[in-house]
Amino acid sequence: QVQLVESGGGLVQAGDSLRLSCAASGGTASNYAMGWFRRAPQKEREFVAAVRWSTGTTYYGDFVKGRFTISRDYNKNTVHLQMNSLKAEDTAVYYCAAGYPAQLTRQRGYASWGQGTQVTVSS
């Protein structure tokens, strides 16, 4: 199973930017994907963004609206989530995920999960 190590969370003000990173220890295959999900207080975990490893095709949650960008460093097995124009409602624990999901926007199929990194946006 792939081990995931997240970094980059923290406390910022509304309108600021933050960059999350997730390093994967394992190898990849043609349909491998990495993504980010988040869980806000008293809410269910929701999809944020994902990238198909082989093609670089990206997917985003509807709420992102151009504010977040997911990218991959193919050689370092690392995925980044650049978050701009942060809002108070972006406050959540952000989880990195990796696996072979049939649908990248769904949690099912992601076999490996990071421990989560807290992002807090003050208004």
Side-chain angles (χ1 to χ4, degrees), residues 19-23 34-36 49-53 56-60 68-83 96:
R19 189 192 196 210
L20 305 182
S21 297
C22 176
M34 290 186 72
W36 290 93
V51 58
R52 182 75 71 185
W53 205 253
T57 304
T58 57
Y59 304 81
Y60 294 96
F68 297 178
T69 302
I70 189 170
S71 61
R72 77 197 197 294
D73 185 328
Y74 195 89
N75 293 324
K76 295 183 178 180
N77 271 7
T78 299
V79 65
H80 304 287
L81 183 67
Q82 177 67 41
M83 303 186 293
C96 178

Side-chain angles (χ1 to χ4, degrees), residues 34-111:
M34 290 186 72
W36 290 93
F37 291 77
R38 71 182 188 182
R39 176 176 283 152
Q42 302 180 335
K43 292 188 177 180
E44 294 186 353
R45 190 157 57 184
E46 66 176 344
F47 171 73
V48 178
V51 58
R52 182 75 71 185
W53 205 253
S54 59
T55 63
T57 304
T58 57
Y59 304 81
Y60 294 96
D62 291 340
F63 68 88
V64 170
K65 298 187 185 302
R67 299 185 298 126
F68 297 178
T69 302
I70 189 170
S71 61
R72 77 197 197 294
D73 185 328
Y74 195 89
N75 293 324
K76 295 183 178 180
N77 271 7
T78 299
V79 65
H80 304 287
L81 183 67
Q82 177 67 41
M83 303 186 293
N84 298 328
S85 302
L86 283 163
K87 306 175 182 179
E89 51 264 43
D90 293 318
T91 295
V93 178
Y94 284 72
Y95 297 90
C96 178
Y100 304 89
Q103 293 179 270
L104 271 68
T105 61
R106 304 287 295 276
Q107 297 183 52
R108 184 175 184 177
Y110 287 96

Side-chain angles (χ1 to χ4, degrees), residues 5-19:
V5 178
E6 301 146 331
S7 61
L11 171 64
V12 297
Q13 293 187 335
D16 285 352
S17 298
L18 206 58
R19 189 192 196 210

